[in-house]
Amino acid sequence: MPALRSTPARAVLTGVLAALVLAGPGLVPSAGAGPRTADVYVSPSGRDAADGTAGRPVRTLTRARDLARDKAAHYGSGGYSGDITVHLASGTYRTTGPLVLDARDSGPAGHLIVWQGAGADSTLISGGRKVEGWRPVAGRPGLWSAPAPQGLGDTRQLYVDGVRAQRARGEVPVGLTMTATGYTASADTLARWRRPSDAEFVHTSGEALWNVERNGLGQWTEPRCRIASATGTAITMAQPCWDNSTKRVEFPDRPGRTVSMVGPGRLTNGGRASYVENAYELLDQPGEWYLDRSAHTVYYLPRTGEDLSRADVEAAAAEKLVDGRGTKAAPLHDIAFQGLQFGYATWLTPSGPEGFSEIQAGYTLTGPKGWATQGLCGFVDGGTCPFASWTKMPGNVSFAYGQRIGISDSVFAHLGAAGLDLGAGTKDSTVRGSVFTDISGNGLEIGGVDGQPAASGVEVTNNHVYALPREYHGGVGILDGYTQHTTIAHNQLDHLGYSAISLGWGGWPDKIGSPATPNPSHDNAVRDNLVFDYMQLLDDGGGVYTQGLTGTSMADGEKVTGNVIHDQWGLGKSVYTDNGCTYETVQGNVLYGAAYANVASRHTDYRDALGNNDPTLIAGNWWEEGAPDSSNRGLVTSGNHLMAGLSDVPPEVVAQAGIEPAYRGVLARTAGAVSVPEAPARVGTSTAGSDGLYVTFNPSFVDGGSPVTGYTAHALRPDGTEAARASVDAADFKRLAVVRVGGLGAGEGPFRVVVTARNAYGESAPSLASAPLSPRAASVVAGAPTGAKVRVGARAVTVVWTPPSGAGDAEVIGYRITVSDGRVVLVGGRDVLVTRPSGKGMFRVVGSLEPSTSYTFTVAAVTAAGTGAAVSVTATTSAPAA
C-alpha cells in the first residue's frame, strides 16, 4: 500500500532525531557498541521461527517484542551492551490487533529499546485489510463490489491508493419529527432501505447563517447517532446515544442551562440531521463506498482514473496499532519509535449503541445514564467525579503510564480515532519531527481530565499537523488535558476543521457563578508555533484555546508566547481564554486574520467575592484588535502593537515561529497519493437580485496534497439539472466569502446549490446541496451599523462596529469604510456573514495614517440592494513612539 512520500531532506532528519529522541533528564542514548548485539531484526518476509538476527529476521512485531523483552530481562547476565534496537525493514507490517507493550518492554537500566523503521516513507505498521476481487454491480452503472476481507466485521474507513474514500452520504430523504425514542418520518422511505440500521444521522453545527442550519449540540460539535430500527414511519435511534444527545439534564432553576454547562440539553433545530451516512441507497457520487455487513460485501463508486483491478484498496480493521499499557506501579519506560508510519486503523464505538454524543474536542457522553450523571460530580445526585470527566476519544497509538517515551521522524496518517494518545501518567516524553494528517479525530492527545495522574514533562516540538479531522469535525490538532511542564513548541498546524491547540478543561462552572474546577495543571507552555487556516468548518474555537485553571499563580500559569496565528475562517479568537481560564499569559504573539477577536474573553473570578476577573496578562503582542492598555481587575492589557500588515512586525519574530530549520523536511511529506480535494461543506444561499443568488460555504481544508485553486457553485433546478454556475479563485473566495451565481431564469426555481473544489489534479465531488431558495429583488438596504469606535495607534487604527440588526430582504455581504483622506476600504470575509446573526462585533485595521492627525471613518453595510445607511466616528491618531 502507498506509504508516506518525502523529499531527500528526511534522511537528514533521521540522524538528528536518533540523537535527540528523548529529552528525559540525565538520559544519554548509548552508542550501541559492545561484545554482543542486543538488536532484533524484523522483515515482512521473515519467519517467526527464526532467531531475529540480521540474516534470519522474524516476521511479526509481537515476535520481535518477545525477543527484545527477553534480551532486556537478561541484559546484565547476557553480556549485551548498548541500546536494544528492533530494526524494521522496509515494507508493510499488517496486524489484526495492537502491539501490546508493558513494563517488561522497557529499556534496561541506562539504555533504550528503539523500534527503528527504515523511514516513515517505507516502513508501515498497518491495521488494514486488502479488499480484492472487484466486479461491476449488475444494474448499477459505475458501481463495483468486492467480498469483504476475511475477518472484517465492520469498518468506518476505506482507502483507495492511499486516498480516503467517503462513506456514502446524502440528504435525509424524508421529513422528521423528533420523538422520545427517535423520529416519526413523513414517509416509510428509510424503512424500505436495504439495511436501515447501518445508517447514521450526522448533526453538523457551526454558526447559523443565511439558510445554513445550525444542528448539533453547540457550534463546536458534530454528534452522530445510528438508527436502531425503522418500521413504517417510526424510526428508533440507537441507545444510549439518543438519550445522551437529547436528554442532558438541566438545572431546574435555570431553564436551558445544562448541568454540564456546555451546549444545549438536546439536539438543536428539532433534532434535524444535516445528512445521513452509510447506506447502499446513498451511493451516488464518485469516491463513495458502503460496507454491507450482513452480505459481507464492499461497494465502491470509483473516482475518475481509478482502476480497481490494479488499485490498492484498504479497509481499516484494527482499532489499535500500538498499546503501551504501563501502570502506576509498573510504568513502561525508556522506549523509542523512529522512522515509522502508523496507518489504516479504525474506531468502531461510534458505529455502535454509544454513537458519538459529542461534548467538545472529541470528548463524548457515554453509558446508559451518561446524560444524567457522567462528569456532573456534586451538581446532581449520583453525578460522577471529577466534574467534566467525559469520555476521551482513544488513540490508535496510545500509551498510559509511559516514562521517557520518544517518538520521532514518524507519521500518523489514515487513522480512524485520535492519532496518538500520551495518556494518564505519561512523563518526560517527546514527540518530535513527525507528521499528523488524515486522521478522523484529534491529531495528538496529551494527558486526561478523569482524575488520573497528570501527564508531565511532555515535549511536542517540530511536528506538522494538518488536514484533519476527517470525520469527527469537532476534533482538534493537539489536545492537552490536565498536564504539568508540557511544552508545545515550533509546530506547524494548518488546514484544520476546528481549533488548532486546545488545553485545559472543566472551567465552565463560572457560568453559574462558581469557581472553575480545581485541577493539577501548571507550568505549561505553548510557544513559537505557526498556526493558520484553522476553524475551517466549525465555530467558537481558536488557534490556541484554553479554559479552566492553568496553575496556581501567574508564575506557574500557562504561557502562550511567540506564536504566529492567522487566517481563521470560523467565528472565534486567535487565542481564546474561555470559561475559568486563570493565570494565563499571552505575550509576544503575532495574531491577525481572526473573526471576532484576537484575544478573548474576560471572565469573572468566582474564587472570592471581590468581583475581579480571572488573572490574565495580554502583553507585547502584534495584533489587529487594538485594545488599549488597561488593568481591569486582574485582566491586564499592556504594550501591544497594532499591525496593519506583516511589515509592521519585526521579521525575526515571524521567522522564529513554526518548524525549526533542521526539521523542515516534515513539510515536504504528503500521506498517500495526491488527489482531488475534499468537497466543501455547509453551503448556504441568499438573494442576489431577481436573477441570481449569493453562495457561501466552508472551504475544503483537505486539499488532496495540492493547493485548492478555486471553487465552482452550481445552481440546480428542482429536477436536478444545472441552471447556471459561477467560479471563483480560492484567494478571492477567502477574501470575500461569497460567490454570485447569476443568469437564473425568471420564474424558475427554487434553486439548490452544490459547490465543487478544484486543484491541479481535478475537481472534487459536489458538496451536499444548500436549502432551496428562489432569487428575488432586494427592496431595502441595510440599516446603519451601531457602536462604532476607533482604537488608535500612531500610523494605523482599528475601526470597530456592531453589524446592523436587520438587512431588509437580503443578507449583509460586505462593508464600506470611507476614510476622510478619500480612501475607501472594502471589507469582506466570513466574519461579515456570520457576525450579524450572531450579534458579534466587527473590526478592521486602517493603515498608512499620519501620527497626531484627526480622521473620520464612515462605515456602511452592503447587501444585494446596495450600500445602506452609514455611521461615522472621528478620532486622532497617537503621537509616534519616542
Side-chain angles (χ1 to χ4, degrees), residues 622-840:
W622 287 264
W623 64 354
E624 297 176 320
E625 186 175 340
D629 288 359
S630 67
S631 181
N632 182 14
R633 292 182 173 269
L635 172 59
V636 177
T637 304
S638 175
N640 297 289
H641 316 281
L642 183 60
M643 57 178 289
L646 272 181
S647 60
D648 295 334
V649 183
E652 62 273 15
V653 174
V654 178
Q656 176 69 12
I659 295 174
E660 295 174 290
Y663 298 90
R664 287 180 185 161
V666 299
L667 297 175
R669 293 172 166 167
T670 57
V674 290
S675 67
V676 300
E678 189 174 79
R682 303 195 76 227
V683 180
T685 55
S686 177
T687 185
S690 58
D691 69 339
L693 294 173
Y694 284 120
V695 181
T696 190
F697 50 90
N698 287 74
S700 301
F701 63 90
V702 178
D703 62 15
S706 174
V708 173
T709 56
Y711 300 94
T712 300
H714 309 257
L716 307 178
R717 300 182 182 91
D719 64 3
T721 60
E722 184 175 291
R725 67 171 64 182
S727 296
V728 61
D729 288 342
D732 286 340
F733 180 71
K734 189 172 187 177
R735 177 173 55 87
L736 301 172
V738 296
V739 56
R740 187 182 189 278
V741 181
L744 301 177
E748 289 190 87
F751 299 96
R752 310 186 77 179
V753 176
V754 298
V755 182
T756 55
R758 61 183 179 274
N759 64 9
Y761 293 88
E763 193 167 30
S764 74
S767 68
L768 296 169
S770 70
L773 184 68
S774 296
R776 63 185 184 278
S779 58
V780 180
V781 296
T786 59
K789 56 186 175 181
V790 176
R791 299 166 180 164
V792 300
R795 299 186 181 278
V797 302
T798 298
V799 182
V800 182
W801 68 94
T802 302
S805 58
D809 293 332
E811 299 286 355
V812 173
I813 59 169
Y815 292 92
R816 289 172 59 92
I817 301 176
T818 303
V819 188
S820 55
D821 62 9
R823 286 182 290 161
V824 174
V825 178
L826 300 178
V827 176
R830 182 65 159 196
D831 57 338
V832 168
L833 312 184
V834 78
T835 50
R836 192 192 66 78
S838 64
K840 305 295 186 183

Side-chain angles (χ1 to χ4, degrees), residues 288-607:
E288 288 188 331
W289 69 278
Y290 167 68
L291 169 63
D292 187 328
R293 292 178 297 167
S294 298
H296 206 61
T297 301
V298 182
Y299 295 90
Y300 181 63
L301 269 172
R303 302 178 179 97
T304 300
E306 289 178 336
D307 181 353
L308 294 183
S309 67
R310 294 185 295 179
D312 175 34
V313 182
E314 300 282 341
E319 295 192 74
K320 287 274 190 185
L321 299 175
V322 177
D323 191 3
R325 299 178 183 175
T327 66
K328 188 174 183 179
L332 171 67
H333 60 85
D334 298 304
I335 188 168
F337 297 83
Q338 300 176 176
L340 299 165
Q341 181 175 171
F342 302 92
Y344 302 101
T346 190
W347 178 38
L348 297 179
T349 296
S351 296
E354 294 285 5
F356 190 75
S357 181
E358 190 168 26
I359 288 282
Q360 183 172 328
Y363 285 93
T364 59
L365 280 181
T366 58
K369 298 289 285 185
W371 61 273
T373 63
Q374 188 179 5
L376 299 184
C377 210
F379 290 105
V380 298
D381 291 338
T384 60
C385 292
F387 175 71
S389 59
W390 298 303
T391 303
K392 186 174 72 172
M393 178 184 295
N396 291 131
V397 177
S398 66
F399 297 90
Y401 293 97
Q403 298 180 6
R404 297 180 297 281
I405 307 296
I407 296 170
S408 63
D409 195 22
S410 293
V411 171
F412 297 80
H414 313 323
L415 297 172
L420 170 64
D421 179 24
L422 299 177
T426 302
K427 291 184 178 181
D428 301 326
S429 297
T430 62
V431 182
R432 181 181 288 118
S434 296
V435 171
F436 296 80
T437 190
D438 189 23
I439 296 170
S440 289
N442 299 321
L444 167 63
E445 300 176 336
I446 311 167
V449 298
D450 56 0
Q452 299 300 311
S456 63
V458 175
E459 295 187 0
V460 177
T461 60
N462 289 293
N463 303 287
H464 189 199
V465 182
Y466 72 99
L468 60 84
R470 296 297 303 272
E471 187 173 1
Y472 311 108
H473 292 122
V476 302
I478 299 175
L479 178 68
D480 183 89
Y482 296 151
T483 67
Q484 301 167 358
H485 298 285
T486 295
T487 299
I488 301 172
H490 287 293
N491 303 286
Q492 178 170 312
L493 302 98
D494 61 89
H495 293 84
L496 304 169
Y498 181 50
S499 295
I501 302 172
S502 182
L503 305 100
W505 206 245
W508 301 286
D510 75 352
K511 292 182 176 181
I512 58 168
S514 297
T517 307
N519 73 73
S521 296
H522 62 79
D523 290 291
N524 297 320
V526 180
R527 60 175 176 81
D528 302 317
N529 299 285
L530 174 60
V531 177
F532 60 93
D533 288 341
Y534 59 99
M535 290 178 61
Q536 298 282 290
L537 180 59
L538 300 183
D539 292 280
D540 201 3
V544 176
Y545 173 94
T546 300
Q547 47 89 11
L549 294 164
T550 73
T552 63
S553 68
M554 291 303 295
D556 71 359
E558 186 174 284
K559 307 295 190 295
V560 178
T561 61
N563 304 284
V564 175
I565 304 174
H566 65 91
D567 288 313
Q568 169 190 301
W569 183 257
L571 191 67
K573 296 97 177 179
S574 309
V575 178
Y576 193 163
T577 59
D578 206 357
N579 293 89
C581 182
T582 306
Y583 300 129
E584 179 92 351
T585 296
V586 182
Q587 189 166 19
N589 304 282
V590 180
L591 312 170
Y592 63 98
Y596 182 35
N598 289 135
V599 183
S601 302
R602 181 204 67 78
H603 294 284
T604 301
D605 186 348
Y606 289 105
R607 294 176 299 166

